Amino acid sequence: MTPVELSRTVLHAVRRAVDAGELSVAVPTRAVVAPPGPGGYGDYATNIALQLARPAGQTPVRVAEVLRPYLVGTDGITDVVLTGPGFLNISLDRAAAGVGLVGEILRRGARYGYAEQPDGRVVQLHCPRDLRAVVVAEASARLLRSQGALVRVTAEGFEDVWTSVLGVTVDAVGVAPAALPVNVRPVPVPASETADLMFLDRDAGRWALLHPAAHDRPRTGGEHLVQRESNPLFRVRYAHARARAATRNAADLGFTAEPGPVTGSDTGTPTRSGTPTGPATGTPAGTAPTPLADAAPELLAALADHPRVLAAAAEHRAPDRLARHLVAVADAALPFLLTVLPRGGEKPSAAHRARLALAEAVGAVLAGGLDLLGIDAPDHL
């Protein structure tokens, strides 16, 4: 069960409780599910009971108690626990959850995490005559559109060189009426550093402006160009290139991706730098399949969190949230990517096909996220 499917399952539980007369509320259009916070339990948590408590005229704990029986026993859900003021903590069938998530990402491709249809919102982003503000506004518009909004970006001033160097554009330029104040105003790049920024290439320049939070001063030096582990942009693009290379190399070996369980004891133990230790990646006879959620828990959690990150980044006009999330995905993926292909004289197995499917899911998420930031995701690096 993917996060999107789980959200629908939670809404279905609310609808069933309303139909049974146990709750008297309007069924919301969206239920937020996310990895549980401190003190949480299971794979995901939802605050739907807190959201419905006031309109239902009941305490959040009571609403959660009403909803729990409608969630327990649902296909793909193994347990539901109440914590705190009324959070529902949901444990999933780990094997089915990992396979379902990878399948969903491969089905949606780079549009994984996007809204399925327009939501009717019309958003106007207006920024001052400032390079960083324009780049942040344009990236925020991309994020908002991914979540179903219709967006227009305007600026009080604009320079053509911004388009030629960073590929940024706006819909209109000019002083807006008083009814439309500036609503995108990150910390600007100091005038003394703007020239340095213009010497970066398009992708590095955009990353330099988008990766820091809006209240942080961006760094505009050549550190964004170096191909080293210290450069977050390099790690993200390198992980994407490694994922694409896995697909090409698998094709040369005659096998393709197929979501499924992997085998844990044959993968070795990859280090943070990506060097595996332990046994080679084969499929020893008699080795029981290991669910993806157990073989690559941090990576699966990061991929599952992608839709929530996109929604939050769009809501808060904060493309830096997406940039940092892509770094987290890449850092979790790089050690795993070394376990994808057969080694030595091994023959491709079902476990290799499952790992390749997860690698392709990584590539899709990284490519889609970089595209929303206006940054290329090269297949070769």
Side-chain angles (χ1 to χ4, degrees):
M1 182 179 295
T2 68
V4 172
E5 292 170 337
L6 181 57
S7 177
R8 292 173 184 156
T9 299
V10 172
L11 292 178
H12 184 60
V14 175
R15 188 171 296 109
R16 290 172 63 195
V18 170
D19 292 343
E22 296 187 70
L23 290 177
S24 179
V25 294
V27 179
T29 59
R30 182 168 175 258
V32 176
V33 296
Y41 173 85
D43 299 296
Y44 292 98
T46 178
N47 65 349
I48 190 70
L50 284 77
Q51 179 183 340
L52 298 177
R54 177 170 291 182
Q58 302 185 45
T59 66
V61 170
R62 176 54 190 158
V63 174
E65 290 173 343
V66 168
L67 294 177
R68 183 180 180 277
Y70 293 101
L71 291 169
V72 173
T74 301
D75 287 345
I77 294 178
T78 59
D79 195 13
V80 179
V81 175
L82 276 61
T83 61
F87 291 103
L88 287 162
N89 293 254
I90 303 169
S91 296
L92 303 180
D93 180 331
R94 297 180 72 82
V99 174
L101 173 64
V102 172
E104 173 71 7
I105 296 173
L106 296 184
R107 184 180 69 83
R108 299 292 303 275
R111 295 180 65 83
Y112 167 63
Y114 280 38
E116 295 187 355
Q117 59 187 12
D119 61 9
R121 286 180 297 163
V122 178
V123 180
Q124 175 80 56
L125 300 179
H126 187 59
C127 50
R129 184 188 184 114
D130 173 72
L131 173 58
R132 189 185 184 198
V134 170
V135 172
V136 169
E138 186 209 45
S140 297
R142 292 169 182 250
L143 285 162
L144 283 160
R145 292 182 187 117
S146 79
Q147 301 305 298
L150 179 65
V151 190
R152 179 177 170 84
V153 179
T154 57
E156 296 190 341
F158 190 86
E159 297 183 24
D160 292 339
V161 68
W162 297 350
T163 299
S164 60
V165 175
L166 297 179
V168 64
T169 60
V170 296
D171 297 305
V173 178
V175 178
L180 180 61
V182 169
N183 55 13
V184 179
R185 195 191 292 274
V187 171
V189 177
S192 60
E193 298 180 13
T194 301
D196 295 335
L197 184 67
M198 290 301 177
F199 279 109
L200 299 177
D201 63 29
R202 175 178 178 266
D203 295 329
R206 291 182 70 97
W207 182 267
L209 298 176
L210 295 173
H211 181 246
H215 58 267
D216 290 334
R217 176 175 168 176
R219 295 181 301 169
T220 58
E223 65 269 19
H224 302 291
L225 294 171
V226 298
Q227 296 195 12
R228 295 178 187 158
E229 189 178 358
S230 60
N231 179 3
L233 175 59
F234 170 72
R235 298 205 304 274
V236 172
R237 299 174 86 187
Y238 180 64
H240 172 266
R242 287 296 300 261
R244 297 304 192 211
T247 299
R248 295 192 302 270
N249 293 334
D252 291 340
L253 293 173
F255 73 99
T256 58
E258 181 178 346
V262 302
T263 302
S265 62
D266 65 339
T267 61
T269 304
T271 64
R272 170 71 164 73
S273 63
T275 302
T277 63
T281 57
T283 308
T287 301
T290 299
L292 283 175
D294 292 332
E298 292 183 4
L299 178 54
L300 265 293
L303 295 177
D305 203 30
H306 188 65
R308 184 196 65 80
V309 171
L310 291 187
E315 179 182 357
H316 296 283
R317 282 59 158 167
D320 59 284
R321 295 190 180 198
L322 172 58
R324 292 194 298 273
H325 172 67
L326 296 180
V327 175
V329 171
D331 287 347
L334 282 168
F336 172 82
L337 290 173
L338 293 183
T339 72
V340 172
L341 299 175
R343 301 173 69 188
E346 291 182 283
K347 294 185 180 298
S349 67
H352 293 117
R353 291 192 289 273
R355 294 187 202 120
L356 179 60
L358 179 52
E360 292 185 354
V362 168
V365 167
L366 294 178
L370 288 172
D371 182 66
L372 287 172
L373 298 178
I375 296 173
D376 287 337
D379 288 350
H380 302 268
L381 196 61

